[in-house]
């Protein structure tokens, strides 16, 4: 059985609670990623997505020097590295998320995204299911 650790990105750059939104945005641009984990004392305390910056950082606040803790998502869903791909895809679909931090012993060890699952033949159906569930719900929210 394939698990999350078989597909996750294990080299994950992050910011800390001392950083500001500008620093997060630059890191996203430089790394070409849509999510940056936020760590405090080497523990995952939140994540900031590109959408968080737009919605919470720009539309609702003044951008730039805003503290990351002002806009990060702290109600987190995480995966265990030994979780099955099916479980991870189901969680992504159920929680309407495309990226999932991977945590072991309270430490960030990676991130798995739907695209990580979708590029492998044996897991395309799980990624397709999760994406269709996310797209369907987001489409319904736009009405």
């Amino acid at each position: 059985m394939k698990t999350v650790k078989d597909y996750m990105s294990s080299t994950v750059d992050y910011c800390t609670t001392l950083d500001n939104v500008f620093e997060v945005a630059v890191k996203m641009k430089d790394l070409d990623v849509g999510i940056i984990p936020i760590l405090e004392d080497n523990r995952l305390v939140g994540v900031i997505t590109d959408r968080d910056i737009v919605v919470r950082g720009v539309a609702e606040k003044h951008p730039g020097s805003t503290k990351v803790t002002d806009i990060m998502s702290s109600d987190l869903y995480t995966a265990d590295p030994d979780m099955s791909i099916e479980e991870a895809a189901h969680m992504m679909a159920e929680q309407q998320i495309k990226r999932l931090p991977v945590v072991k012993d309270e430490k960030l060890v990676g991130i798995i995204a739907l695209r990580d699952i979708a590029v492998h033949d044996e897991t395309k159906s799980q990624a397709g299911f999760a994406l269709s569930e996310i797209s369907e719900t987001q489409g319904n929210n736009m009405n």
Side-chain angles (χ1 to χ4, degrees):
M1 172 177 67
K2 295 289 185 175
T3 62
V4 167
K5 68 182 167 200
D6 296 320
Y7 297 96
M8 72 182 193
S9 300
S10 58
T11 305
V12 180
D13 213 335
Y14 61 88
C15 286
T16 72
T17 55
L18 301 175
D19 291 315
N20 62 48
V21 174
F22 176 77
E23 293 163 317
V24 171
V26 167
K27 190 166 283 201
M28 281 183 180
K29 178 185 172 287
D30 291 347
L31 299 172
D32 192 27
V33 297
I35 187 172
I36 297 289
I38 306 300
L39 303 184
E40 184 173 62
D41 297 327
N42 289 323
R43 289 186 156 164
L44 180 68
V45 295
V47 296
I48 294 184
T49 64
D50 42 10
R51 188 172 191 283
D52 290 334
I53 291 174
V54 172
V55 174
R56 295 187 200 142
V58 176
E60 295 178 4
K61 301 196 183 292
H62 297 287
S65 61
T66 302
K67 296 186 299 184
V68 296
T69 53
D70 289 344
I71 70 163
M72 73 180 189
S73 300
S74 58
D75 185 18
L76 300 176
Y77 295 96
T78 62
D80 180 275
D82 296 318
M83 175 186 281
S84 74
I85 288 300
E86 292 81 10
E87 290 173 295
H90 181 74
M91 182 186 295
M92 289 174 167
E94 189 175 275
Q95 301 306 324
Q96 301 295 297
I97 53 180
K98 296 176 185 174
R99 305 169 197 107
L100 199 55
V102 182
V103 176
K104 183 172 180 112
D105 298 326
E106 299 182 8
K107 304 281 188 205
L108 179 70
V109 296
I111 288 185
I112 187 160
L114 278 179
R115 71 176 175 203
D116 297 327
I117 299 170
V119 297
H120 300 281
D121 288 335
E122 64 271 8
T123 57
K124 281 183 182 176
S125 63
Q126 285 89 8
F129 167 75
L131 186 57
S132 69
E133 290 294 307
I134 292 168
S135 298
E136 181 179 308
T137 301
Q138 288 177 352
N140 290 339
N141 290 339
M142 297 181 86
N143 295 329

